[in-house]
Amino acid sequence: MDTAPQADKNPGVGAYTVPLSKELLPRLHLIDDEKRFSDELSTYIRDKWNLKDAGFNYNLAAIFGSQSTGKSTLLNRLFGTNFDVMNETARMQTTKGIWISQGKDMKVLIMDDFERKSALFSVATSEVLIVNMWEHQVGLYNGANMGLLKTVFEVNLQLFGGNRGKEKTLLLFVIRDHVGSTPLTNLANTLKADLERIWQGLAKPDGLEECKITDYFDFMFTTLPHKLLQPEQFEIEVQKLRSRFMNSSDPNFVFQPQYSKRVPADGLHVYAEAIWEKIMTNKDLDLPTQQELLAQFRCEEIANAAFLVFKDQIKEFRHPIEAGQLVEDLGPKMKQARDVATKSFDKDASRYLPAVYQRKRTEMLTKANSMLESYFVGQLKNLHKKAVSNFTSQLQQTLKVEGTEFGKAATTTKKEAVDFFLKGAKAIKLTETDWEYEEELYQLEHDLEELTTVQREKELAKMLAGLEKLIKKELDEPIKLALDQPGPGMWGRIMTVYRRTSEDAELMLKKKGKTFELRPDEQDELVLNLKRQSWVLLTMKIQEESVDGLILYKLLNRFEERFQRDSHGLPRVWSPTDDIDTPFRKAREETMELIPLYAKINTLDPVTDTCLSLESSDDFDFDQSLQVLSETRQQELTTQFKRKADASYVEAKRSVVATQAKIPYWVGVALIILGWNEFVTLITSPLYLSMTMMLGLPLGALWYLGMLDLVRTMGWRAYEQAMVLGREKLRDVVHPPEHPMLVPVPAIQSDSRRSGEFDDGSRLQHRHSARSLSQGGGSAGASEDTSGIELNAFERKKDL
């Protein structure tokens, strides 16, 4: 029941509420409770509402509905009027006869009525008839005022049937306290079906037997939320409905031209009074008997009193349910509150006319169930949320246990969540209601399925990440070893390792995939993606081992093995009679043949004698992944390698020149003569003798073993490298490079063993060659290295 602060009273009416509008709009008791038509309508139109010169530019609407359905409250909210509404402390009829008022800030006249004859008057004079009803009344003959509508339709045909097709009235059904469980489309279809049945059962005048209800009426349907349980949403929807009466651009604008009665505003009082007189002189509009009126009044009063107690008992459920909490024993508590109200009504109302008593009892029970249904729906939503929360936490907790199978864990946890919801839903469903929880159950199952899918994706991602980590670990070391030992079988060894690793990972994936209850197509897709990812890891490792500095290092190592070592793997010490040119050319050519080998991956697996291949996709190009070194990089590597190899060749030649230097014999005689005293001192001093033996014996052993040349060569090389490094440091200090080139080998720095190999020599050589390229190209750099080496050789000769 709508309530508001009390305002002024009219004699015999009771307590009323202050309207929403702060300004009290003028209202007129158009037809009083004595059924007398007011003679002040023309005055109000002219002076109060300023519509004298409006002509046809105004609209007329009325409301139709049972007493105590909040229709006056709706009009006040919708149009800003101040029609009397019922107060909680004085349960009395407020609308007697017909009241008329102007809508706030709009050229619309609104009529509020209750009686049968006044309802017929509203249908006959209004463009739009607002049918105010509760959602729980839809489908009920009496509750939805279908009996009254039938009488109105029937007499309307008798009095105004001749206007068939000329004038239409829009019936706008406003369904109150809509909780959303039944879509508006379904409610509209139910009302349309009821109206069609009523129309088929009418006693139609001669000549109108085949007429249809759509010849006289059009229909619109809308809903409003629960005013008490959803006050904010109720006000929002009322404002939207107001737009349909004010805004002509609204697609659902109600005052369409076809509904206009074509009565100018200054003649409305004459037209309306004539309609009322015609209705009053019709004998078919007899009012109910006094007994029925008494029963209706008393049963309504008793029902309202019982309903007040009922609302007071159930109001404690509202806040916890709206806060998302589950109310313990909600079902038994709701049933107890409803039974108390019903028994209170039965005790006092059962003595009145049985038909009226039963009808009012049904209406009160329906109204109570409608109010309780909002709590039922709220509790269902909270059960839904709690079930989802339980499912999520329980599933995550279960998956933490080692060896848990995801599919079984998800199925068990899902069943527990559904059982929890069903138990709670069944406990709050009351008898004598049509409440259903199947839709919420369906939504819960759908949500649980989505959560299961999301969690499964996470677990699959974890499993695949573990497999990728294992694949990477299995591939890294064999690939590095194979690339460090280049040759015709290099790619074959890599492909064999890749195939075996990929097959092992696939078997592991299929084994673990069974625990996820994957469909065959899902499993096939995961296997294909794993193969692609394995290949990506393979190519990433190959690219990591094939960066410019590292690949050049591998080439130089291979060249050094072929040029600086003999067939037994021992270091070569070049003598003047040795042929240096032939081993150099052979070693350089063999090494340069490795560059095209490194350039492209050969997918032939020597074990299976098949070429490995993968299907390309939008984000994966298998053929492109086979290319390791582009043509440009191959040329650059060739140039750099030749320059480094030439430096080794010059070094070998220089070592031969150094060994050819001869000391004159007279120098030896002079040393013996001039150094005799020192020799005597040496052999007579224990200290000098012991130091001489400590140094002389190793030198003698090296001379006896023929390794003096090797030690000398190694010493020269160390000295040269130190000199080169010193010159570079000095050049960097004196002339800092504008764009220093760094060796992009991030992966090597993470491998301590590889880092040690590379840092010893290749990094220095690569930096030197890079600087040479930046200063003048490959040929200029080679000339600078060669001239530097020749200068060092010249300086050594000078010293000797």
Side-chain angles (χ1 to χ4, degrees):
M1 191 68 63
D2 298 312
T3 60
Q6 292 189 358
D8 60 325
K9 302 180 180 178
N10 291 330
V13 175
Y16 302 98
T17 58
V18 176
L20 292 180
S21 176
K22 296 181 179 180
E23 176 186 1
L24 296 180
L25 298 175
R27 57 179 181 171
L28 173 64
H29 204 176
L30 182 61
I31 300 173
D32 61 18
D33 49 352
E34 298 297 330
K35 302 178 180 61
R36 291 175 301 200
F37 194 92
S38 175
D39 57 1
E40 295 185 50
L41 179 57
S42 61
T43 303
Y44 271 69
I45 290 175
R46 183 181 64 249
D47 300 330
K48 303 289 187 179
W49 302 328
N50 297 320
L51 295 176
K52 177 184 178 181
D53 299 326
F56 298 107
N57 188 25
Y58 78 103
N59 301 104
L60 182 61
I63 193 163
F64 174 87
S66 303
Q67 184 71 14
S68 304
T69 57
K71 56 190 180 65
S72 298
T73 301
L74 176 61
L75 292 180
N76 293 341
R77 290 289 200 279
L78 194 57
F79 298 102
T81 55
N82 57 314
F83 291 119
D84 295 330
V85 297
M86 188 170 290
N87 189 276
E88 295 288 345
T89 61
R91 313 296 296 174
M92 298 182 66
Q93 180 178 334
T94 59
T95 305
K96 293 187 177 182
I98 299 178
W99 287 82
I100 187 170
S101 180
Q102 183 184 20
K104 182 176 176 59
D105 300 327
M106 55 198 310
K107 293 182 179 181
V108 177
L109 297 179
I110 304 98
M111 293 190 297
D112 187 7
D113 63 80
F114 174 65
E115 306 293 351
R116 293 189 179 186
K117 291 186 178 182
S118 60
L120 178 59
F121 174 81
S122 298
V123 172
T125 57
S126 301
E127 300 170 51
V128 177
L129 181 63
I130 304 171
V131 183
N132 182 65
M133 60 192 310
W134 305 102
E135 181 185 6
H136 65 264
Q137 292 177 329
V138 177
L140 302 178
Y141 187 85
N142 292 323
N145 294 296
M146 291 302 174
L148 180 55
L149 273 176
K150 179 180 180 181
T151 302
V152 172
F153 288 164
E154 199 165 55
V155 179
N156 188 71
L157 271 181
Q158 295 174 6
L159 297 180
F160 313 107
N163 293 327
R164 176 184 181 185
K166 298 179 181 179
E167 294 180 358
K168 279 189 175 184
T169 301
L170 175 64
L171 298 182
L172 175 59
F173 288 83
V174 179
I175 303 171
R176 304 281 295 277
D177 288 3
H178 182 244
V179 297
S181 57
T182 304
L184 176 59
T185 304
N186 294 355
L187 296 173
N189 291 335
T190 301
L191 289 172
K192 288 179 181 178
D194 291 343
L195 293 171
E196 288 289 345
R197 283 194 297 270
I198 290 175
W199 192 264
Q200 294 298 328
L202 294 181
K204 301 181 181 66
D206 295 340
L208 298 177
E209 293 85 353
E210 300 300 325
C211 68
K212 300 178 181 179
I213 190 173
T214 53
D215 294 335
Y216 299 91
F217 301 99
D218 286 338
F219 307 102
M220 275 190 179
F221 303 89
T222 188
T223 60
L224 290 178
H226 200 289
K227 179 176 175 295
L228 297 181
L229 298 181
Q230 300 171 289
E232 294 181 359
Q233 191 64 27
F234 175 82
E235 294 295 342
I236 292 174
E237 294 301 322
V238 166
Q239 291 305 314
K240 291 181 181 178
L241 181 57
R242 177 180 172 86
S243 173
R244 296 169 65 173
F245 288 87
M246 295 183 64
N247 186 5
S248 59
S249 62
D250 192 298
N252 294 315
F253 183 62
V254 297
F255 293 122
Q256 297 295 331
Q258 63 267 28
Y259 305 133
S260 175
K261 305 301 181 183
R262 305 304 298 170
V263 177
D266 56 354
L268 178 62
H269 65 286
V270 179
Y271 173 81
E273 187 172 7
I275 293 291
W276 179 248
E277 288 179 0
K278 189 173 184 179
I279 291 174
M280 288 299 296
T281 57
N282 190 279
K283 297 180 180 179
D284 294 330
L285 294 177
D286 291 336
L287 295 175
T289 63
Q290 292 296 322
Q291 184 181 14
E292 185 177 357
L293 287 175
L294 177 63
Q296 289 180 356
F297 177 77
R298 284 295 296 141
C299 289
E300 184 74 24
E301 191 175 49
I302 295 169
N304 289 337
F307 200 75
L308 280 176
V309 178
F310 168 77
K311 288 201 303 183
D312 186 64
Q313 289 181 336
I314 66 173
K315 66 181 181 181
E316 63 181 70
F317 308 145
R318 176 182 176 183
H319 292 297
I321 290 178
E322 290 181 350
Q325 302 174 8
L326 292 176
V327 179
E328 294 292 335
D329 299 325
L330 178 62
K333 290 178 180 178
M334 290 193 302
K335 184 178 183 304
Q336 181 183 6
R338 190 185 66 176
D339 291 345
V340 170
T342 305
K343 290 178 181 178
S344 175
F345 176 81
D346 292 342
K347 178 182 177 182
D348 297 327
S350 58
R351 65 174 69 109
Y352 294 99
L353 194 65
V356 177
Y357 155 69
Q358 290 294 338
R359 185 174 70 251
K360 292 298 181 182
R361 186 182 191 279
T362 301
E363 291 178 3
M364 189 193 74
L365 189 61
T366 302
K367 186 177 179 182
N369 288 339
S370 177
M371 183 168 288
L372 292 175
E373 188 175 13
S374 62
Y375 297 129
F376 171 78
V377 173
Q379 185 84 337
L380 281 184
K381 294 186 180 300
N382 294 340
L383 283 170
H384 184 148
K385 294 178 182 177
K386 185 64 175 177
V388 169
S389 176
N390 291 345
F391 170 80
T392 303
S393 58
Q394 183 64 32
L395 181 59
Q396 292 177 351
Q397 196 67 27
T398 304
L399 292 176
K400 292 180 180 179
V401 180
E402 186 70 24
T404 301
E405 295 186 4
F406 179 83
K408 294 181 179 179
T411 301
T412 302
T413 311
K414 189 188 304 180
K415 184 178 182 303
E416 292 175 355
V418 172
D419 290 344
F420 168 80
F421 175 83
L422 284 175
K423 182 180 178 182
K426 291 177 180 178
I428 59 175
K429 183 177 180 180
L430 302 184
T431 57
E432 299 179 303
T433 65
D434 58 352
W435 301 347
E436 299 292 344
Y437 52 79
E438 281 71 17
E439 182 178 352
E440 194 71 31
L441 175 61
Y442 171 80
Q443 187 62 42
L444 172 64
E445 292 175 340
H446 177 72
D447 291 348
L448 294 180
E449 190 63 32
E450 286 188 345
L451 289 172
T452 301
T453 302
V454 171
Q455 191 63 38
R456 184 176 68 168
E457 293 297 329
K458 291 182 179 178
E459 295 300 319
L460 279 173
K462 291 181 182 178
M463 181 192 71
L464 293 175
L467 287 176
E468 291 176 8
K469 184 177 180 181
L470 180 62
I471 291 172
K472 188 176 186 303
K473 181 179 179 181
E474 293 294 325
L475 290 177
D476 279 2
E477 191 68 22
I479 291 175
K480 180 186 181 304
L481 292 176
L483 294 177
D484 286 346
Q485 300 174 2
M490 178 182 71
W491 292 119
R493 294 193 300 273
I494 292 176
M495 290 302 104
T496 301
V497 171
Y498 165 75
R499 177 182 54 79
R500 291 174 180 174
T501 304
S502 179
E503 290 175 352
D504 292 344
E506 181 180 343
L507 292 175
M508 190 176 300
L509 173 62
K510 291 180 178 179
K511 180 180 179 181
K512 292 186 176 181
K514 293 180 180 179
T515 65
F516 290 91
E517 300 178 351
L518 297 174
R519 299 192 308 272
D521 59 322
E522 292 178 326
Q523 180 170 292
D524 294 341
E525 183 178 0
L526 285 177
V527 169
L528 178 59
N529 290 336
L530 182 64
K531 288 181 178 180
R532 288 174 176 170
Q533 187 61 26
S534 301
W535 182 261
V536 169
L537 293 173
L538 172 76
T539 55
M540 287 177 60
K541 182 61 180 177
I542 293 174
Q543 292 291 346
E544 179 184 316
E545 293 290 332
S546 302
V547 294
D548 289 347
L550 192 54
I551 199 72
L552 181 62
Y553 175 69
K554 297 179 188 295
L555 294 173
L556 290 174
N557 278 348
R558 182 60 177 266
F559 170 76
E560 293 292 339
E561 289 178 1
R562 294 291 187 270
F563 180 57
Q564 296 291 357
R565 294 182 181 273
D566 57 19
S567 59
H568 301 290
L570 297 176
R572 283 178 175 173
V573 179
W574 302 104
S575 63
T577 59
D578 290 339
D579 179 14
I580 299 178
D581 295 347
T582 300
F584 169 74
R585 283 194 297 269
K586 182 178 180 181
R588 186 175 66 175
E589 291 173 358
E590 289 181 356
T591 305
M592 289 175 60
E593 290 174 357
L594 297 179
I595 296 179
L597 179 66
Y598 276 119
K600 187 174 183 179
I601 300 174
N602 185 353
T603 61
L604 178 63
D605 183 2
V607 177
T608 61
D609 198 24
T610 58
C611 289
L612 302 179
S613 179
L614 290 174
E615 182 181 354
S616 299
S617 63
D618 294 339
D619 56 352
F620 175 77
D621 190 339
F622 179 75
D623 294 334
Q624 183 67 28
S625 68
L626 299 178
Q627 190 70 31
V628 180
L629 301 175
S630 65
E631 292 293 336
T632 303
R633 288 189 62 196
Q634 293 181 53
Q635 293 177 4
E636 292 176 353
L637 282 173
T638 301
T639 301
Q640 294 176 21
F641 168 72
K642 284 182 178 180
R643 186 166 62 249
K644 297 295 183 180
D646 291 347
S648 297
Y649 173 77
V650 172
E651 173 65 21
K653 286 288 188 178
R654 187 176 58 194
S655 65
V656 171
V657 172
T659 56
Q660 290 179 333
K662 297 293 185 178
I663 299 176
Y665 294 108
W666 60 267
V667 174
V669 175
L671 287 174
I672 294 174
I673 297 173
L674 296 176
W676 178 255
N677 295 334
E678 288 76 4
F679 175 73
V680 173
T681 303
L682 177 66
I683 62 176
T684 56
S685 173
L687 177 60
Y688 291 158
L689 183 60
S690 61
M691 291 178 61
T692 302
M693 294 181 66
M694 291 176 61
L695 296 174
L697 289 177
L699 291 174
L702 292 174
W703 173 81
Y704 180 78
L705 295 174
M707 297 179 63
L708 282 176
D709 291 339
L710 175 62
V711 173
R712 182 180 59 188
T713 301
M714 294 174 63
W716 275 115
R717 287 186 180 178
Y719 167 76
E720 291 168 0
Q721 292 291 343
M723 292 296 294
V724 170
L725 181 60
R727 286 197 298 271
E728 287 183 353
K729 293 294 184 180
L730 182 60
R731 185 183 299 112
D732 289 344
V733 173
V734 177
H735 301 291
E738 295 182 359
H739 301 286
M741 298 181 61
L742 301 179
V743 181
V745 195
I748 299 178
Q749 296 178 359
S750 63
D751 191 328
S752 59
R753 182 178 60 189
R754 236 177 297 159
S755 176
E757 295 173 352
F758 183 68
D759 290 344
D760 288 343
S762 178
R763 180 178 300 167
L764 177 61
Q765 295 175 359
H766 182 64
R767 288 179 55 192
H768 184 67
S769 62
R771 180 177 293 106
S772 300
L773 284 174
S774 65
Q775 293 175 350
S779 60
S783 301
E784 181 182 345
D785 288 346
T786 305
S787 61
I789 293 172
E790 292 175 351
L791 177 62
N792 291 337
F794 175 78
E795 291 174 352
R796 285 197 302 274
K797 288 181 180 180
K798 182 178 179 180
D799 294 337
L800 290 175

